[in-house]
């Protein structure tokens, strides 16, 4: 039997864009449900640098994107402060880079209003000791670091608190249309197989690299280029601020600090499948060689994993009417009523993490117009609840490092977290040592809607994101989950097998000695001590 | 021997395996300590290019260096924990007690000047109660005795004339507490036809590092490098009878000073028995030992184990006819330099010393041999056996002919 629901807007895709749209609409009082085939923020939204652009990178080549980026940069610092570290950024010219570009860049930044300040190389090296000592010119810009995991999770949580709907691990199986108008979306629960039909006036396709696939379900032709970029995670944080190479944007020219690590990348290769997140050892090696121009030590510093994600680049083809109302080349807002004669169907694609709120605003504007809703956008001033809490955790038996993590991380989970500290025996124990994740934090982060999945906890707490990539914490978390009734034995084992596979996927392509030793230890613990079989086969 | 590959503070090779924490003498007796992995490489990674984190539990780290010795990846764990100690001391200041304990040299100078009075006072129970109350030094802890006739008064030779020349780094313990070790060393060298010079020197700095007084420690280190390197460049070998002092030249100085001079000096520093073993390898050792019929247990100090040179003391003592030396194969003694004197650390110290005490009792030899004066303090407190420095035994064997 198929369960039936009714709403005004169904948003397909739980990335940062979909998150922005569901929050924007909910704030306007529109009923909206967000549907996501996996966990939220599993795709492109988390598979990037986590760079809060100042716009500097686009100043020369894409003026509009630069203007939008800087404006959104300022808005997000105010509205989602908990997911942003205001690191500042440097643009660095190294030997061999074009002098003309520097002049052009400074002129463009001035024109679009991005503040820049020249810094002496000596000062820059003092601030960023890993920088190439032969750097020739350095400029300061208001870049920042944004955590896409917490950003998306918090934006969705705020929408949910205000009445927005969320269906995770629900895959869209069909979109039905009637008389040139969308009518309903049918989704299937990936775990139970249960089908749910959601009647709706509007469907917003925010599926990122999957957008063409979703459009096809509504019989709408759409071409999308999925351009895969590869990044690596350094084991340590090497920079206080964002380091960009001052040249026409290319590969391997950005280092972004992300909590305890630095994210380095990227590359660009067109791929066929939206879920192609494969990694290529040679591509990684070339990227590292290129990155050495900016940070010479990058060739020696240990990396803990690589990952890749696809930029969904919309291709207009012959359809010149399709790019939507005044949106820039950076994003593509498609009103399929005008474009394809399908009422109520909207696609939002392209864009940047930095401009997600603006993309959501424009998309929600279009949806509101179609629904005849008057309420305007408020996301440019309505803040998302902060992650940092002023609650005093010193009375709990937490190590200073774990206490700092909780203080900067608990946010809206603080009630659940304190409840766990009150009630659970293991609450103050550090489960993931590399990232200082306590059991209390895990208990507070367990999504209530799904069976046990370590990836869900990882995205919400950083469990297993550090040096050992879950070698120790995965089994601890799984064991405690069983002990505390969050999972059955079977679920825990399946979760472990899955977590090991995904962690190793990002480690193996690095191919360096240290990573090999780390995976060797991982195998020793899971496959020898715990008797799990390699390659994801279960013993049970 | 120079410890290779330890001259930077890279923690990136840490696999998080826990070998250091499992082997840590402190972690083995209490959960109050965060363990070397967390307070070393982990905390370094969590604070790199970020705000520092001050963790009080670092006070329980003794800088024994066991973590360094067991790390399969060569992570300089104890140098990383020493940095955390320094940060903690900077943030919170150090107690007057820790100032006193970390200045073994000043204390030695003063205490030895008034040696009879000092030694007597340290044995009077009420006086010790007052000291515990005022200074936080545990009343039950036996203190090493101080000698008025210290080694500086006994031996003042500043140059050597023989083919092989030794620059002897005496260390505070052999200078002020047990100058007999210094005498024995000079005699052993004399039996090998080697002149001993005693260069100008300051406390090696280990007690300062252990109490987070990094700046002072580095100052002493720089002074010693300066003084000793002049001898090295003049053809001297630097030989040390205290295992903590020798380890500091071989390891700590490289990390903390990070200079070419420290590196150069480290190539020429020998533990006393390591030096004798080296002479034997060169066929230069006088093996004319008289027989000593004695059963002895050898207790290896952490700072000797940490040098990764095996058991040079046993290698030498085994050459003495009739001498039966066995390795006690015991863990850390628990005194750990200044650690065991402190009121709040004393219970941990006693607990840590338990396994050593058992090993000594089980072997039931006539004496215990160890290089470290602080280990001797704990051995004296916890066991009934007499404790000697291996060089003293060797000197006796030469004289026994």
């Amino acid at each position: 039997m198929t369960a039936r629901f009714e709403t005004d807007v169904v948003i397909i895709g739980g990335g940062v864009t979909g998150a922005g749209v569901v929050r924007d609409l909910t704030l306007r009082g529109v009923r909206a449900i967000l549907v996501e085939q996996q966990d939220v923020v599993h795709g492109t939204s988390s598979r990037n640098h986590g760079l809060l652009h100042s716009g500097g990178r686009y100043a020369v080549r894409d003026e509009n994107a630069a203007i939008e980026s800087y404006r959104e940069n300022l808005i997000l610092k105010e509205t989602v402060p908990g997911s942003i570290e205001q690191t500042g950024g440097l643009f660095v010219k190294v030997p061999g880079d074009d002098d003309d570009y520097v002049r052009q860049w400074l002129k463009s930044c001035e024109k679009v209003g991005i503040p820049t300040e020249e810094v002496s190389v000596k000062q820059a090296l003092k601030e960023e000791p890993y920088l190439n000592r032969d750097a020739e010119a350095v400029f300061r810009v208001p870049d920042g670091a944004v955590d896409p995991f917490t950003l998306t999770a918090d934006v969705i949580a705020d929408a949910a608190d205000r009445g927005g709907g969320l269906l995770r691990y629900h895959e869209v199986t069909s979109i039905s249309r009637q008389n040139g108008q969308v009518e309903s979306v049918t989704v299937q629960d990936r775990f139970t197989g249960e089908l749910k039909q959601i009647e709706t006036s509007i469907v917003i396709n925010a599926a990122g690299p999957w957008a063409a696939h979703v459009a096809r379900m509504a019989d709408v032709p759409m071409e999308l280029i999925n351009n895969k970029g590869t990044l690596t995670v350094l084991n340590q944080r090497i920079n206080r601020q964002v380091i960009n190479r001052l040249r026409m944007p290319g590969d391997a020219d950005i280092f972004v600090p992300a909590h305890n690590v630095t994210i380095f990348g990227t590359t660009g290769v067109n791929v066929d499948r939206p879920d192609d997140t494969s990694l290529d050892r040679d591509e990684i090696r070339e990227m590292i060689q290129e990155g050495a121009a900016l940070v010479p030590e990058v060739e020696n510093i240990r990396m803990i994993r690589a990952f890749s994600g696809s930029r969904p680049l919309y291709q207009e083809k012959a359809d010149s009417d399709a790019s939507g109302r005044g949106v820039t080349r950076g994003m593509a807002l498609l009103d399929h009523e005008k474009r394809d004669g399908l009422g109520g169907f909207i696609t939002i694609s392209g864009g940047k993490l930095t401009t997600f709120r603006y993309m959501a605003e424009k998309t929600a504007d279009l949806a509101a117009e179609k629904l005849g809703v008057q309420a305007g956008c408020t996301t440019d001033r309505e803040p998302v609840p902060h992650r940092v809490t002023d609650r005093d955790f010193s009375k709990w038996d937490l190590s200073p490092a774990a206490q700092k993590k909780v203080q900067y991380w608990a946010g809206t989970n603080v009630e659940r977290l304190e409840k766990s500290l009150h009630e659970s025996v293991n609450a103050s124990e550090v489960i993931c040592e590399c990232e200082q994740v306590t059991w209390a934090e895990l208990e507070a982060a367990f999504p209530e809607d799904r069976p046990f999945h370590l990836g869900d906890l990882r995205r919400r707490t950083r469990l297993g994101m550090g040096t050992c990539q879950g070698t120790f914490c995965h089994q601890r978390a799984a064991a405690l989950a069983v002990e505390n009734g969050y999972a059955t034995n079977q679920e825990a084992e399946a979760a472990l097998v899955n977590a090991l596979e995904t962690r190793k996927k990002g480690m193996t392509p690095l191919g360096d000695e240290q990573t090999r030793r780390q995976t060797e230890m991982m195998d020793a613990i899971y496959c020898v001590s715990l008797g799990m079989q390699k390659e994801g086969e279960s013993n049970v | 021997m120079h410890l290779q590959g330890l001259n930077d503070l890279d923690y990136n090779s840490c696999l998080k395996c826990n070998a250091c924490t499992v082997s840590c003498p402190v972690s083995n007796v209490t959960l109050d300590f965060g363990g070397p992995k967390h307070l070393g490489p982990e905390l370094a990674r969590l604070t790199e290019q970020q705000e520092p984190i001050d963790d009080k539990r670092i006070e329980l780290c003794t800088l024994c260096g066991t973590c360094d010795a067991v790390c399969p990846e060569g992570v300089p764990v104890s140098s990383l924990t020493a940095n955390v100690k320094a940060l903690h001391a900077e943030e919170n200041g150090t107690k007057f007690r820790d100032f006193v304990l970390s200045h073994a040299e000043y204390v030695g100078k003063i205490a030895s000047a008034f040696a009879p009075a000092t030694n007597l006072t340290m044995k009077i129970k009420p006086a010790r109660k007052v000291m515990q109350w005022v200074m936080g030094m545990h009343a039950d802890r036996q203190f090493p005795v101080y000698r008025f006739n210290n080694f500086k008064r006994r031996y003042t030779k500043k140059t050597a004339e023989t083919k092989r020349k030794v620059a002897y780094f005496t260390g505070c313990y052999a200078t002020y507490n047990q100058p007999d070790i210094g005498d024995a060393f000079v005699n052993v060298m004399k039996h090998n036809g080697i002149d001993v010079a005693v260069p100008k020197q300051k406390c090696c700095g280990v007690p300062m590092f252990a109490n987070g007084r990094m700046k002072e420690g580095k100052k002493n280190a720089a002074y010693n490098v300066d003084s000793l390197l002049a001898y090295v460049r003049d053809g001297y070998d630097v030989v040390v009878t205290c295992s903590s002092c020798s380890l500091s030249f071989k390891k700590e100085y490289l990390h903390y000073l990070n200079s070419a001079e420290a590196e150069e000096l480290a190539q020429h520093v020998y533990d006393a028995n390591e030096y004798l073993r080296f002479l034997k390898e060169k066929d230069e050792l006088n093996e004319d030992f008289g027989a000593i019929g004695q059963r002895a247990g050898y207790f290896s100090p952490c700072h000797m184990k940490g040098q990764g040179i095996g058991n040079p003391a046993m290698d030498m003592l085994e050459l003495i006819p009739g001498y039966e030396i066995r390795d006690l194969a015991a863990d850390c003694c628990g005194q750990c330099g200044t650690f065991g004197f402190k009121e709040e650390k004393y219970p941990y110290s006693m607990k840590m010393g338990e396994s050593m005490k058992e090993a000594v009792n089980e072997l039931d030899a006539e004496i215990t041999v160890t290089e470290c004066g602080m280990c001797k303090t704990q051995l004296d407190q916890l066991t009934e056996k007499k404790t000697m420095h291996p060089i003293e035994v060797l000197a006796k064997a030469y004289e026994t002919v």
Side-chain angles (χ1 to χ4, degrees):
Chain A
M1 213 194 89
T2 307
R4 282 171 201 282
F5 300 86
E6 202 218 319
T7 189
D8 296 325
V9 182
V10 169
I11 301 132
I12 301 170
V16 73
T17 312
V21 175
V22 71
R23 178 166 184 263
D24 192 315
L25 288 170
T26 308
L27 279 165
R28 295 182 201 223
V30 175
R31 293 183 302 164
I33 295 176
L34 180 65
V35 178
E36 166 53 50
Q37 59 171 335
Q38 303 276 341
D39 185 23
V40 298
V41 71
H42 76 92
T44 305
S45 296
S46 64
R47 297 170 174 278
N48 57 64
H49 263 116
L51 168 57
L52 184 72
H53 280 284
S54 58
R57 186 168 170 83
Y58 305 116
V60 172
R61 204 166 59 174
D62 190 343
E63 207 173 273
N64 280 335
I67 293 169
E68 274 173 18
S69 291
Y70 183 49
R71 192 186 58 222
E72 288 301 310
N73 173 302
L74 297 178
I75 293 174
L76 294 187
K77 282 173 183 168
E78 293 298 319
T79 54
V80 267
S83 289
I84 290 168
E85 190 184 335
Q86 298 199 23
T87 56
L90 300 177
F91 270 78
V92 182
K93 179 191 178 298
V94 297
D97 287 350
D98 185 13
D99 283 312
D100 279 345
Y101 183 80
V102 179
R103 279 189 283 278
Q104 217 182 333
W105 181 79
L106 281 169
K107 230 163 82 187
S108 303
C109 283
E110 200 187 341
K111 188 178 168 212
V112 300
I114 299 166
T116 60
E117 177 207 344
E118 177 146 25
V119 184
S120 72
V121 173
K122 199 178 151 205
Q123 172 64 21
L125 284 168
K126 211 172 126 193
E127 291 175 20
E128 301 296 346
Y130 285 93
L131 206 57
N132 187 348
R133 309 203 77 80
D134 297 328
E136 291 171 345
V138 184
F139 299 89
R140 198 187 300 286
V141 294
D143 282 340
V146 52
D147 185 324
F149 296 104
T150 61
L151 173 72
T152 312
D154 289 357
V155 168
I156 291 177
D158 190 46
D161 280 348
R162 297 167 187 270
L166 170 65
L167 291 172
R168 298 187 312 135
Y169 293 108
H170 280 72
E171 194 178 0
V172 175
T173 56
S174 67
I175 298 170
S176 59
R177 45 192 289 175
Q178 183 100 35
N179 306 323
Q181 175 70 35
V182 290
E183 192 184 43
S184 70
V185 174
T186 304
V187 296
Q188 183 169 31
D189 185 323
R190 289 181 94 102
F191 289 94
T192 63
E194 187 194 358
L195 288 169
K196 295 169 187 169
Q197 192 180 18
I198 313 168
E199 282 173 31
T200 182
S201 320
I202 303 222
V203 174
I204 294 173
N205 174 12
W210 285 268
H213 171 72
V214 168
R216 275 197 294 278
M217 281 199 260
D219 286 330
V220 168
M222 191 162 85
E223 294 292 325
L224 205 62
I225 298 170
N226 284 329
N227 183 257
K228 188 180 72 168
T230 296
L231 302 103
T232 61
V233 185
L234 275 60
N235 181 45
Q236 66 173 97
R237 179 168 172 159
I238 59 159
N239 43 342
R240 284 194 178 258
Q241 45 205 329
V242 178
I243 299 176
N244 301 275
R245 187 150 165 198
L246 183 47
R247 63 166 181 184
M248 194 56 99
D251 286 355
D253 47 13
I254 310 180
F255 292 81
V256 183
H259 306 293
N260 308 318
V261 298
T262 289
I263 309 223
F264 160 62
T266 175
T267 60
V269 181
N270 289 345
V271 292
D272 294 331
R273 289 185 299 111
D275 57 350
D276 184 346
T277 53
S278 59
L279 297 160
D280 182 76
R281 191 171 292 183
D282 293 332
E283 193 181 328
I284 294 170
R285 196 175 299 136
E286 282 167 28
M287 183 175 88
I288 292 172
Q289 279 164 7
E290 181 73 31
L294 202 50
V295 174
E297 271 297 292
V298 73
E299 294 187 283
N300 305 318
I301 295 172
R302 180 178 174 192
M303 310 232 170
I304 44 179
R305 74 182 287 109
F307 62 97
S308 70
S310 278
R311 311 170 179 94
L313 303 177
Y314 175 67
Q315 200 178 33
E316 287 186 11
K317 282 212 146 178
D319 191 349
S320 59
D321 188 34
S323 64
R325 311 182 300 180
V327 292
T328 72
R329 278 156 46 199
M331 67 160 129
L333 175 62
L334 309 183
D335 180 351
H336 294 286
E337 187 171 355
K338 284 189 186 155
R339 182 185 184 261
D340 309 288
L342 177 58
F345 194 59
I346 298 169
T347 292
I348 176 70
S349 186
K352 320 263 168 244
L353 178 64
T354 305
T355 57
F356 89 95
R357 192 212 60 84
Y358 181 61
M359 293 164 71
E361 175 183 335
K362 290 292 156 195
T363 310
D365 280 349
L366 181 58
E369 187 189 309
K370 288 181 186 299
L371 289 167
V373 170
Q374 298 298 320
C377 174
T378 55
T379 57
D380 58 342
R381 49 193 180 273
E382 189 67 45
V384 173
H386 209 298
R387 290 229 136 220
V388 176
T389 175
D390 52 8
R391 213 68 72 92
D392 178 20
F393 290 102
S394 60
K395 62 181 162 182
W396 308 106
D397 185 25
L398 290 164
S399 75
Q403 197 178 313
K404 184 185 165 199
K405 166 84 198 306
V406 166
Q407 207 85 48
Y408 283 91
W409 205 261
T412 49
N413 276 341
V414 74
E415 306 290 339
R416 281 174 79 184
L417 209 132
E418 287 198 325
K419 183 169 177 278
S420 171
L421 284 166
H422 263 294
E423 293 170 6
S424 297
V425 253
N426 301 305
S428 63
E429 259 166 58
V430 174
I431 304 303
C432 166
E433 294 165 272
C434 308
E435 293 293 328
Q436 291 295 298
V437 184
T438 47
W439 174 245
E441 224 187 317
L442 291 180
E443 270 205 309
F446 269 112
E448 280 157 4
D449 55 348
R450 278 300 139 203
F452 183 62
H453 195 284
L454 287 161
D456 291 5
L457 293 176
R458 181 170 66 242
R459 280 178 282 272
R460 283 157 187 76
T461 63
R462 294 187 74 75
L463 176 87
M465 279 193 184
T467 304
C468 79
Q469 292 286 294
T471 301
F472 292 96
C473 63
H474 280 158
Q475 31 110 356
R476 291 177 188 154
L480 281 173
V482 172
E483 254 177 49
N484 289 278
Y486 292 97
T488 64
N489 273 323
Q490 285 77 8
E491 281 169 345
E493 175 149 0
L496 277 177
V497 169
N498 174 278
L500 271 187
E501 214 174 283
T502 54
R503 291 289 87 185
K504 272 200 196 165
K505 184 190 159 208
M507 297 168 78
T508 317
L510 292 175
D512 66 305
E513 177 65 20
Q514 214 56 32
T515 310
R516 273 204 292 272
R517 292 160 91 92
Q518 192 74 61
T519 41
E520 196 58 39
M521 191 167 70
M522 203 181 234
D523 283 343
I525 288 176
Y526 287 92
C527 304
V528 180
S529 301
L530 297 176
M532 280 169 53
Q533 287 185 6
K534 277 196 183 181
E535 305 307 325
E537 285 171 36
S538 164
N539 270 344
V540 185
Chain B
M1 196 198 89
H2 164 222
L3 294 177
Q4 291 284 337
L6 279 175
N7 49 356
D8 61 41
L9 290 183
D10 192 1
Y11 48 80
N12 274 313
S13 51
C14 174
L15 298 176
K16 320 292 286 193
C17 74
N18 285 321
C20 54
T21 300
V22 168
S23 316
C24 171
V26 182
S27 289
N28 267 304
V29 298
T30 179
L31 292 173
D32 300 343
F33 179 45
K37 178 175 83 168
H38 177 64
L39 294 166
E42 201 159 274
L43 213 51
R45 178 176 175 271
L46 291 168
T47 51
E48 179 89 48
Q49 308 292 331
Q50 297 187 70
E51 291 314 303
I53 295 174
D54 174 28
D55 194 324
K56 190 183 175 352
R57 299 176 298 172
I58 195 65
E59 288 176 7
L60 285 175
C61 171
T62 69
L63 290 190
C64 69
T66 306
C67 42
D68 301 336
V70 299
C71 177
E73 301 297 319
V75 176
V77 186
S78 78
S79 296
L80 294 163
T81 59
N83 284 344
V84 178
K85 272 180 171 293
L87 171 83
H88 178 64
E90 240 169 70
E91 298 269 316
N92 302 278
T94 40
K95 294 189 174 105
F96 175 63
R97 188 246 353 247
D98 296 353
F99 174 84
V100 171
L101 285 174
S102 64
H103 290 81
E105 194 177 6
Y106 299 154
V107 174
K109 277 182 191 163
I110 298 164
S112 76
F114 303 100
T118 316
N119 296 333
L120 186 65
T121 312
M122 296 309 275
K123 286 188 178 119
I124 300 172
K125 205 78 202 187
R128 292 301 305 274
K129 282 284 178 203
V130 171
M131 269 187 76
Q132 173 161 346
W133 183 56
V134 179
M135 293 278 288
M137 291 197 218
H138 204 281
D140 295 339
R141 165 61 66 195
Q142 292 173 17
F143 262 73
V145 292
Y146 285 90
R147 297 293 165 81
F148 176 75
N149 187 15
N150 68 40
F151 192 69
K152 276 187 175 171
R153 295 181 204 268
R154 293 187 193 182
Y155 195 85
T156 51
K157 206 163 139 55
K158 289 271 178 287
T159 52
E161 313 301 332
T162 45
K163 188 168 154 271
R164 271 199 188 280
K165 300 178 283 188
V166 159
Y168 176 38
F169 188 88
T170 325
C172 300
Y173 188 79
T175 303
Y176 300 108
N177 301 103
Q178 220 186 330
D180 298 356
I181 296 173
D183 293 342
F185 178 69
V186 173
N187 283 339
V188 167
M189 286 298 115
K190 198 184 278 168
H191 280 278
N192 284 280
I194 299 174
D195 254 5
V196 174
V198 179
K200 280 190 170 171
Q201 52 190 272
K202 286 189 173 174
C203 162
C204 68
V206 164
M208 293 164 181
F209 301 136
N211 285 286
R213 308 184 73 89
M214 183 66 87
K215 277 184 202 149
E216 286 166 274
K218 278 186 186 174
K219 224 166 134 184
N220 278 23
Y223 180 94
N224 289 333
V225 169
D226 226 33
S227 169
L228 296 173
L229 200 52
Y231 280 83
V232 165
R233 288 177 178 165
D234 219 14
Y236 285 76
D237 298 315
V238 176
V239 184
V240 189
T241 45
C242 167
S243 43
S244 297
C245 302
S246 53
L247 183 66
S248 74
F249 297 142
K250 292 177 178 186
K251 185 171 80 174
E252 273 103 335
Y253 283 17
L254 303 188
H255 293 155
Y256 306 152
L257 297 179
N258 195 20
S259 69
E261 288 77 19
E263 193 87 29
E264 189 186 342
L265 173 63
Q267 315 274 0
H268 300 275
V269 170
Y270 299 84
D271 156 71
N273 288 291
E274 181 191 19
Y275 191 63
L276 293 171
R277 192 173 64 185
F278 163 78
L279 293 178
K280 180 172 161 54
E281 279 159 13
K282 296 262 174 204
D283 264 337
E284 295 176 28
L285 181 74
N286 170 10
E287 292 188 45
D288 213 358
F289 296 112
I292 301 178
Q294 190 174 49
R295 282 183 70 242
Y298 171 67
F299 177 75
S300 183
C302 294
H303 286 171
M304 182 51 71
K305 290 184 189 129
Q307 299 191 22
I309 52 172
N311 265 346
M314 285 183 61
D315 295 342
M316 285 302 106
L317 294 173
E318 276 166 357
L319 299 176
I320 300 172
Y323 206 75
E324 199 189 319
I325 180 91
R326 294 263 192 89
D327 191 352
L328 283 161
D331 294 333
C332 175
C333 74
Q335 171 59 38
C336 314
T338 63
F339 182 85
F341 293 118
K342 301 176 182 177
E343 182 183 5
E344 75 282 6
K345 312 289 189 316
Y346 184 76
Y348 300 113
S349 172
M350 287 295 112
K351 231 170 153 182
M352 287 159 74
E354 207 48 44
S355 70
M356 174 192 74
K357 180 179 160 183
E358 272 169 33
V360 170
N361 289 344
E362 197 177 312
L363 184 66
D364 197 23
E366 289 158 66
I367 70 160
T368 305
V369 178
T370 191
E371 290 96 339
C372 175
M374 291 299 106
C375 297
K376 175 178 159 50
T377 303
Q378 183 83 318
L379 281 159
D380 287 348
Q381 176 137 5
L382 292 178
T383 73
E384 306 296 319
K385 313 284 176 192
K386 186 182 174 203
T387 308
M388 284 175 83
H389 193 286
I391 290 294
E392 291 181 289
V393 180
L394 287 167
K396 200 169 124 196
Y398 279 127
E399 317 272 292
T400 309
V401 175

